Each structure stands twice: as structure tokens, then as C-alpha cells.
Amino acid sequence: MKTAELIAANDFCVYHNVEYTFITSLHEAGLVEVTIINETTFIPQTELQKLEKLISLHELDINIAGIEAISHLLKRVEKLQEDMRYLKNRLSLYE
């Protein structure tokens, strides 16, 4: 992965006014991927949108376990919506 596609976790935390431990907790829970280069933690650009959503939940005083549960449920809803779109498209072939 190119370093241009990575953002230093410390810079991200300062910009979004969150604690560095929040990012590490999300990573330990498997909710966010990080890359460590020379003992410095970086966040891939592909994770930024997801991480910003998780920060919004954190600002509502939801703990990591709650964020993990909400994230899991949102993924299930997205999967169900995707399945429904697929089935609607298949059904339209027979109309």
C-alpha cells in the first residue's frame, strides 16, 4: 500500500478531536483496519468513511461494545438491502 493512501492516526485524532485509544480500541474490536509502519499507526483512506461514522456513534456516548453491535446490525441491514435489490432485479425479468 502506498504511503500516500495512509493517514497518520495521531493526525486523524487531532483533526477529529478523539483520543488515540479510541482508534486502538476500534482496531482491537475488529471494526477498523490500521497499518503500522516504523512503530507509527496509520489509517488507510478506505477506512476513513467508516471511522467517521463510528466517531459519530462515539459522540453519542455509545461505548465500544455498543458501537460493535450497531456496526454489525448496520452491515446486516446493508446485506439485506443488497439482497432485496438483487431479487427485485430478478423479478423484473419475469414481468
Side-chain angles (χ1 to χ4, degrees):
M1 180 175 294
K2 298 176 185 175
T3 56
E5 298 173 354
L6 301 173
I7 291 139
N10 287 330
D11 294 343
F12 182 87
C13 291
V14 168
Y15 182 79
H16 289 283
N17 196 26
V18 295
E19 295 290 324
Y20 179 79
T21 55
F22 177 67
I23 304 296
T24 58
S25 297
L26 291 175
H27 175 64
E28 290 170 359
L31 296 173
V32 173
E33 292 181 31
V34 297
T35 302
I36 299 174
I37 301 172
N38 296 332
E39 298 181 17
T40 304
T41 303
F42 292 94
I43 302 166
Q45 283 184 350
T46 56
E47 293 289 300
L48 291 181
Q49 186 176 15
K50 180 189 339 177
L51 188 53
E52 288 172 346
K53 286 180 185 178
L54 298 176
I55 287 172
S56 297
L57 294 173
H58 180 66
E59 289 171 348
L60 296 172
D61 290 329
I62 300 173
N63 64 14
I64 298 296
I67 290 173
E68 195 173 357
I70 291 168
S71 179
H72 174 72
L73 290 173
L74 287 173
K75 285 179 186 174
R76 289 186 63 191
V77 167
E78 288 172 5
K79 174 73 171 115
L80 288 171
Q81 288 174 335
E82 182 182 309
D83 291 347
M84 190 167 39
R85 274 191 299 276
Y86 172 77
L87 291 172
K88 281 184 178 181
N89 289 338
R90 293 282 310 228
L91 183 61
S92 68
L93 292 174
Y94 297 105
E95 290 180 342

